[in-house]
C-alpha cells in the first residue's frame, strides 16, 4: 500500500514553540539595547551628528577660498567677534581676494580686493543689501532698501530729487543753526571740563551729527527733546546692528534694546510725516527733505486728479517724476534709513576730522584761511552752495579724511542665488557676501603712501582720477544717495568751526588705535579742549 502523504503544508519543524523562542530572543536583544540607552547618550549622539553636519556644511561652502580649516561648533568665531579688532580685519583682507568665516547659521564671504568688491556692488541680480540678520527686524522688511526691481525704483525716483543742488541749498540754514547751538555747547563743556586731559568728544559728536541729520531730514517737526532722545537711544540701534550679533531678538539683549529704540524712532518720524503733510497741504514752504518729498507727492496727486476729471493740463505742469502717495509709516521707514546711513558714518568722519585737524595745525590753518577768504574776511557769512562749492582745499581735506579713515569699511549683502564670483568659486545662496572698502582706499597703486594723511593728493596729485578705488559711498544701484550732501555738510562744519573756535587734542597712546563699532573711532574717543576764537 502506498505510503501515507502528509496533507499539511507546514514543515514538521515549524512549530509554535520554536517561533515563540525566536520572538523572545529578539525582544530580549531590543530590550537590552533600549535599557542600556540613556537620555544623555541619545543627546550626545544627536549633538555629534549636528556637529559633524555643521562642520561638513562649512567645509563644503568654503570650497577653495581662504578660511579656517574647521569651525568652532555652531557659534564659529562669535565670542572673539564680540570685540572686533581692526588688525584682525586687516589680516583677513590681506589673506586673499576671497575669504570666509561661519558664525551661527550664517556663512560669510569677504571680498577684499577692489575689483571683487566692485563686482559685488554691481551685481543686483545675485545680491541685495542685508546689513545683518536683525536689521530687517529693526528697519522692517518692507523698507525700500530691502526691495528690488520696480518696488525699489518707485522709491528711488522720488528720492533722487531730494539731493539736487537746489534742494541741498534749502537745507543749509537748518544745518548751520544746529552748528551754532552745538559749537556753543562745545565751548561750555570744555570750560567746565578737565583742561589737562580734555573731554572725550566722540559721543557729543554723535549727538551733533544726529541733530544735524534730524534738522535736515525732518526740520522743526521733531522737538529738541525728542531729537536728543533719538541721538541717545540710537547708540542701542548701532549696537544691535553690529556685524556679529545674536540672530534672534532675545529680551534684554542688544538686539532687544535696539528694536525698542527703532520702534521709538519710527514713531517719531511718523509723527513728523503727518505734520509735514498738513503743513505742505496748507501751502507751507520747503525747509527739509521730508517737506520736499511730501510736496512732490501732493503735486503728483493734484495732477492725477485733474487728469482723472478730464481737465486739460499743460504738459509743462506734469510733475517729474510722477509719484504715488506714500503713507506716514512708509515715509518714516525711509527717513529712518537716511538716519541709519548717515548717523554712524558722519559721526565717525566728524570725530576723526576734529582730531586730524588738531594734530596737523598747518592743515587747519590753510582751511581757516581759505574759509575766511571766501567770506571776504567776514567769518559770520552764512552757508550757501556757492560758498561751500568753492572751497577746494577744505573739500580735499574732507575727501582725504574719508579715504584715510573711511567711515564704512564694508557693506554686507545677502546672496539671492548661487553667485559665481570667480572662475573657481561660487558663493552659496543665503550666504552673507561682504565687499570691503578699506583695502581699495588704502591701495598704494592708487594712493601713494596710503597710510599718510595728505589732502594735497586731491589737488596736485591724481587721487581724483582713481574713481574705481573711491568706494566710500559704494557704487552700483545701491550707491549712497546722500554722498554730495554728506561731503558738503562736513565742509561746512569744519570750515565754520575753524573760524569760530580753536581746539587742542589731548593725545593718548590710544589716539591712533581704531575702535570698530559699526564704523570706526579713535579708541580714546578723541579728548579735546575747545576755546573761543577772537
Amino acid at each position: 500500500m502506498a505510503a501515507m502523504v502528509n496533507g499539511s503544508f507546514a514543515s514538521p519543524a515549524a512549530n509554535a514553540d520554536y517561533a515563540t523562542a525566536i520572538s523572545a530572543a529578539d525582544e530580549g536583544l531590543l530590550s537590552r539595547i533600549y535599557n542600556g540607552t540613556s537620555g544623555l547618550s541619545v543627546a550626545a549622539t544627536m549633538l555629534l551628528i549636528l556637529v559633524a553636519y555643521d562642520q561638513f556644511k562649512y567645509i563644503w561652502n568654503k570650497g577653495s577660498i581662504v578660511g579656517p580649516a574647521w569651525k568652532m561648533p555652531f557659534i564659529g568665531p562669535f565670542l572673539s567677534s564680540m570685540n572686533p579688532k581692526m588688525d584682525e580685519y586687516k589680516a583677513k583682507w590681506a589673506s586673499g581676494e576671497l575669504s570666509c568665516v561661519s558664525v551661527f547659521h550664517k556663512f560669510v564671504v569677504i571680498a577684499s580686493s577692489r575689483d571683487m568688491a566692485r563686482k559685488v556692488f554691481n551685481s543686483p541680480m545675485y545680491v541685495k543689501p542685508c546689513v545683518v540678520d536683525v536689521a530687517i527686524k529693526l528697519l522692517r522688511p518692507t523698507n525700500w532698501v530691502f526691495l528690488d526691481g520696480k518696488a525699489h525704483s518707485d522709491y528711488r525716483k522720488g528720492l533722487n530729487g531730494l539731493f539736487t543742488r537746489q534742494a541741498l541749498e534749502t537745507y543749509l540754514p537748518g544745518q548751520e543753526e544746529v552748528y551754532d547751538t552745538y559749537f556753543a555747547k562745545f565751548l561750555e563743556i570744555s570750560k567746565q571740563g578737565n583742561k589737562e586731559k580734555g573731554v572725550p568728544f566722540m559721543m557729543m559728536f554723535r549727538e551733533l551729527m544726529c541733530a544735524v541729520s534730524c534738522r535736515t531730514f525732518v526740520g522743526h517737526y521733531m522737538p529738541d527733546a525728542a531729537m536728543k532722545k533719538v541721538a541717545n537711544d540710537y547708540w542701542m540701534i548701532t549696537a544691535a546692528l553690529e556685524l556679529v550679533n545674536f540672530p534672534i531678538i532675545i529680551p534684554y539683549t542688544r538686539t532687544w534694546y535696539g528694536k525698542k529704540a527703532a520702534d521709538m524712532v519710527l514713531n517719531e518720524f511718523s509723527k513728523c510725516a503727518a505734520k509735514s503733510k498738513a503743513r505742505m497741504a496748507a501751502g507751507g514752504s520747503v525747509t527739509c527733505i521730508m517737506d520736499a518729498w511730501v510736496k512732490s507727492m501732493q503735486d503728483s496727486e493734484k495732477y492725477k486728479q485733474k487728469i482723472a476729471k478730464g481737465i486739460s493740463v499743460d504738459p509743462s505742469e506734469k510733475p517729474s517724476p510722477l509719484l504715488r502717495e506714500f503713507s506716514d509709516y512708509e515715509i518714516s521707514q525711509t527717513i529712518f534709513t537716511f538716519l541709519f546711513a548717515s548717523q554712524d558714518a558722519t559721526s565717525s568722519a566728524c570725530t576723526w576730522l576734529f582730531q586730524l585737524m588738531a594734530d596737523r595745525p598747518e592743515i587747519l590753518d590753510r582751511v581757516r584761511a581759505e574759509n575766511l577768504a571766501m567770506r571776504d574776511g567776514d567769518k559770520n557769512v552764512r552757508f550757501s552752495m556757492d560758498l561751500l562749492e568753492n572751497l577746494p582745499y577744505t573739500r580735499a581735506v574732507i575727501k582725504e579724511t574719508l579715504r584715510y579713515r573711511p567711515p564704512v569699511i564694508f557693506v554686507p549683502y545677502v546672496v539671492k542665488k548661487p553667485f559665481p564670483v570667480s572662475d573657481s568659486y561660487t558663493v552659496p545662496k543665503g550666504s552673507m557676501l561682504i565687499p570691503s572698502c578699506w583695502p581699495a582706499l588704502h591701495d598704494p597703486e592708487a594712493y601713494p603712501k596710503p597710510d599718510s594723511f595728505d589732502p594735497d593728493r586731491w589737488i596736485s596729485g591724481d587721487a581724483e582720477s582713481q574713481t574705481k578705488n573711491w568706494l566710500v559711498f559704494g557704487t552700483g544701484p545701491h550707491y549712497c544717495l546722500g554722498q554730495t550732501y554728506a561731503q558738503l555738510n562736513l565742509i561746512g562744519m569744519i570750515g565754520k568751526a575753524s573760524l569760530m573756535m580753536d581746539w587742542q587734542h589731548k593725545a593718548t597712546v590710544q589716539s591712533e588705535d581704531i575702535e570698530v563699532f559699526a564704523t570706526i573711532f579713535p579708541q580714546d574717543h578723541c579728548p579735546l579742549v575747545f576755546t573761543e576764537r577772537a
Side-chain angles (χ1 to χ4, degrees):
M1 186 176 181
M4 293 183 64
V5 179
N6 180 4
S8 171
F9 290 101
S11 165
N15 58 74
D17 292 341
Y18 183 78
T20 301
I22 294 295
S23 177
D26 288 344
E27 289 179 2
L29 177 62
L30 292 173
S31 178
R32 286 195 299 274
I33 293 174
Y34 177 78
N35 292 332
T37 303
S38 66
L40 182 61
S41 62
V42 171
T45 301
M46 291 300 297
L47 180 63
L48 288 173
I49 293 172
L50 291 173
V51 168
Y53 172 76
D54 191 47
Q55 294 298 325
F56 172 78
K57 185 178 180 182
Y58 165 69
I59 293 170
W60 178 268
N61 287 339
K62 175 179 176 293
S64 60
I65 64 175
V66 176
W70 65 283
K71 172 189 175 183
M72 182 179 292
F74 309 121
I75 65 172
F78 171 70
L79 296 177
S80 61
S81 299
M82 290 295 288
N83 184 25
K85 301 288 194 301
M86 192 64 189
D87 288 344
E88 294 173 358
Y89 282 124
K90 289 180 178 179
K92 200 71 177 174
W93 294 326
S95 68
E97 188 174 49
L98 291 170
S99 58
C100 69
V101 294
S102 182
V103 183
F104 291 119
H105 64 296
K106 186 65 69 176
F107 182 68
V108 182
V109 177
I110 300 167
S112 300
S113 70
R114 178 200 70 184
D115 292 340
M116 190 61 75
R118 291 183 64 86
K119 185 170 188 177
V120 177
F121 280 128
N122 287 286
S123 298
M125 286 183 59
Y126 291 101
V127 299
K128 66 177 181 179
C130 71
V131 191
V132 291
D133 285 352
V134 77
I136 294 178
K137 298 180 178 69
L138 270 61
L139 299 177
R140 304 304 190 266
T142 55
N143 199 300
W144 77 288
V145 296
F146 301 125
L147 303 179
D148 286 321
K150 185 178 183 302
H152 180 82
S153 63
D154 279 349
Y155 276 89
R156 184 171 279 270
K157 69 182 181 181
L159 300 177
N160 285 330
L162 306 180
F163 295 95
T164 63
R165 186 183 188 278
Q166 181 180 358
L168 293 176
E169 180 117 43
T170 305
Y171 316 142
L172 292 178
Q175 294 167 14
E176 189 162 20
E177 180 184 318
V178 174
Y179 287 127
D180 287 337
T181 300
Y182 274 83
F183 288 169
K185 288 184 180 181
F186 292 178
L187 293 171
E188 185 61 29
I189 290 170
S190 292
K191 184 177 180 181
Q192 301 297 327
N194 188 316
K195 305 294 191 301
E196 295 300 319
K197 295 184 178 180
V199 177
F201 264 85
M202 186 267 281
M203 291 302 292
M204 182 54 66
F205 290 147
R206 285 182 64 90
E207 183 179 320
L208 165 64
M209 289 293 102
C210 186
V212 171
S213 294
C214 287
R215 187 59 52 84
T216 304
F217 301 156
V218 301
H220 287 275
Y221 298 125
M222 180 179 288
D224 289 345
M227 183 282 300
K228 188 171 180 63
K229 181 169 176 57
V230 169
N232 291 338
D233 288 6
Y234 199 90
W235 184 262
M236 294 187 286
I237 297 175
T238 301
L241 291 173
E242 283 191 290
L243 184 61
V244 176
N245 226 323
F246 284 109
I248 59 175
I249 295 177
I250 300 172
Y252 306 108
T253 62
R254 289 180 176 181
T255 51
W256 185 79
Y257 285 112
K259 175 67 164 54
K260 289 176 70 67
D263 292 344
M264 180 273 295
V265 173
L266 285 168
N267 183 52
E268 289 295 336
F269 284 154
S270 291
K271 294 177 187 176
C272 294
K275 294 175 185 176
S276 177
K277 285 181 177 180
R279 182 169 169 274
M280 289 296 101
S285 60
V286 172
T287 61
C288 61
I289 283 177
M290 184 177 283
D291 282 347
W293 192 21
V294 166
K295 187 176 187 304
S296 295
M297 293 177 214
Q298 293 179 349
D299 289 347
S300 295
E301 183 59 27
K302 291 175 184 177
Y303 173 83
K304 292 175 187 176
Q305 289 178 3
K306 288 181 180 179
I307 296 298
K309 293 176 181 178
I311 300 174
S312 178
V313 181
D314 189 281
S316 64
E317 294 182 29
K318 180 180 180 180
S320 180
L322 198 61
L323 305 180
R324 71 173 176 87
E325 185 171 357
F326 293 87
S327 69
D328 294 350
Y329 191 65
E330 286 176 319
I331 295 171
S332 174
Q333 286 181 309
T334 305
I335 297 298
F336 190 12
T337 63
F338 290 171
L339 183 62
F340 169 73
S342 65
Q343 173 59 13
D344 292 315
T346 56
S347 297
S348 169
C350 174
T351 304
W352 286 110
L353 188 53
F354 273 104
Q355 175 169 308
L356 289 165
M357 293 302 92
D359 291 345
R360 295 160 177 80
E362 72 284 0
I363 294 177
L364 177 57
D365 285 344
R366 288 179 65 180
V367 168
R368 182 178 288 124
E370 180 181 69
N371 275 266
L372 192 60
M374 279 303 300
R375 290 169 167 86
D376 293 327
D378 183 359
K379 67 178 183 179
N380 295 312
V381 169
R382 307 301 282 178
F383 288 169
S384 69
M385 289 297 289
D386 286 340
L387 170 64
L388 300 182
E389 289 175 337
N390 287 283
L391 297 166
Y393 187 73
T394 308
R395 177 180 177 274
V397 168
I398 300 306
K399 295 202 74 169
E400 181 66 354
T401 300
L402 296 174
R403 183 207 67 81
Y404 180 68
R405 290 291 184 263
V408 179
I409 58 176
F410 43 62
V411 184
Y413 282 75
V414 66
V415 179
K416 299 189 290 186
K417 61 181 180 179
F419 184 6
V421 292
S422 70
D423 293 337
S424 60
Y425 187 71
T426 296
V427 185
K429 177 183 177 180
S431 302
M432 185 181 284
L433 180 55
I434 304 178
S436 304
C437 305
W438 179 284
L441 294 164
H442 286 76
D443 179 357
E445 292 186 11
Y447 307 108
K449 298 181 179 178
D451 293 326
S452 296
F453 184 81
D454 180 15
D456 283 312
R457 73 171 81 240
W458 298 96
I459 297 174
S460 57
D462 67 348
E464 286 286 1
S465 67
Q466 305 298 330
T467 54
K468 287 188 175 181
N469 285 71
W470 182 247
L471 296 180
V472 172
F473 298 99
T475 185
H478 290 278
Y479 74 93
C480 177
L481 279 174
Q483 56 182 298
T484 300
Y485 154 72
Q487 293 177 80
L488 288 174
N489 181 26
L490 293 169
I491 288 171
M493 179 198 72
I494 201 65
K496 185 177 182 67
S498 72
L499 298 175
M500 300 298 173
M501 302 181 293
D502 291 311
W503 61 94
Q504 290 181 310
H505 178 215
K506 301 299 183 177
T508 73
V509 293
Q510 294 182 310
S511 292
E512 292 300 319
D513 294 333
I514 295 174
E515 173 185 345
V516 181
F517 185 72
T519 180
I520 59 174
F521 294 101
Q523 282 191 7
D524 61 6
H525 293 184
C526 193
L528 299 171
V529 174
F530 287 92
T531 53
E532 188 170 5
R533 188 171 176 82

